[in-house]
């Protein structure tokens, strides 16, 4: 099976779903609202992602599996991830002196995957383990 890799620019930001659930970060609603990656319809199709499929998003700072969403308003070559633990896993720690990571313009590679999306506790445990290496 040939693996297709999409080179993309990732942006992250607040969404209504993320904002409505951010007070309960361990809830299923927060998980559903923030563990996603929206892609242009043409990019979604090119990657061959099945309905309700997942993608692996990889940047210089790390990688994370999230559920893929087909989004008509996103231009090809751009992906959007709601602010939250899954986006933070790939944004990186550099702040450029302003105290906030760069949530926009992150170079990323995206591939379809059969791997499951990890829950927030698993994600944090993995990030902690990586930080100890």
């Amino acid at each position: 099976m040939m693996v297709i890799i999409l080179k993309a620019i990732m942006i992250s930001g607040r969404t209504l779903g993320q904002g409505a659930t951010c007070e309960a970060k361990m809830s299923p609603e927060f998980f559903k609202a923030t563990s996603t990656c929206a892609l242009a319809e043409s990019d979604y199709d090119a990657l061959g992602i099945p309905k309700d499929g997942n993608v692996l998003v990889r940047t210089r700072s790390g990688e994370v599996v999230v559920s893929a969403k087909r989004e008509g308003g996103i231009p090809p070559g751009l992906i959007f991830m709601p602010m939250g633990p899954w986006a933070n896993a790939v944004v990186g720690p550099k702040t450029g002196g302003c105290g906030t990571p760069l949530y926009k313009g992150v170079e990323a590679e995206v591939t379809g995957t059969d791997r499951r999306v990890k829950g927030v506790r698993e994600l944090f445990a993995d990030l902690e383990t990586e930080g100890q290496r």
Side-chain angles (χ1 to χ4, degrees):
M1 177 179 188
M2 184 166 83
V3 176
I4 299 168
I5 299 173
L6 169 69
K7 298 226 183 246
I9 299 297
M10 184 191 98
I11 60 172
S12 182
R14 302 207 182 276
T15 65
L16 289 175
Q18 177 265 341
T21 61
C22 71
E23 294 298 320
K25 291 190 169 90
M26 297 301 193
S27 71
E29 294 80 16
F30 183 75
F31 174 83
K32 185 177 180 183
T34 58
S35 62
T36 65
C37 175
L39 300 103
E41 292 179 351
S42 59
D43 290 340
Y44 191 103
D45 293 340
L47 289 172
I49 304 165
K51 185 177 187 226
D52 299 323
N54 295 335
V55 290
L56 173 69
V57 177
R58 179 177 289 132
T59 70
R60 290 182 184 160
S61 298
E63 65 181 40
V64 69
V65 174
V66 288
S67 61
K69 291 177 68 175
R70 181 191 225 51
E71 187 67 50
I74 293 181
L78 189 72
I79 61 172
F80 177 83
M81 292 178 65
M83 286 179 134
W86 293 268
N88 289 350
V90 294
V91 167
K94 294 186 179 177
T95 65
C98 71
T100 302
L102 303 174
Y103 290 106
K104 311 268 188 274
V106 179
E107 292 180 1
E109 292 182 346
V110 182
T111 57
T113 185
D114 291 334
R115 292 167 46 188
R116 69 178 181 80
V117 179
K118 292 181 179 179
V120 71
R121 291 183 201 285
E122 292 174 287
L123 184 64
F124 286 157
D126 287 352
L127 292 173
E128 182 178 38
T129 301
E130 288 175 19
Q132 293 172 358
R133 290 185 203 167

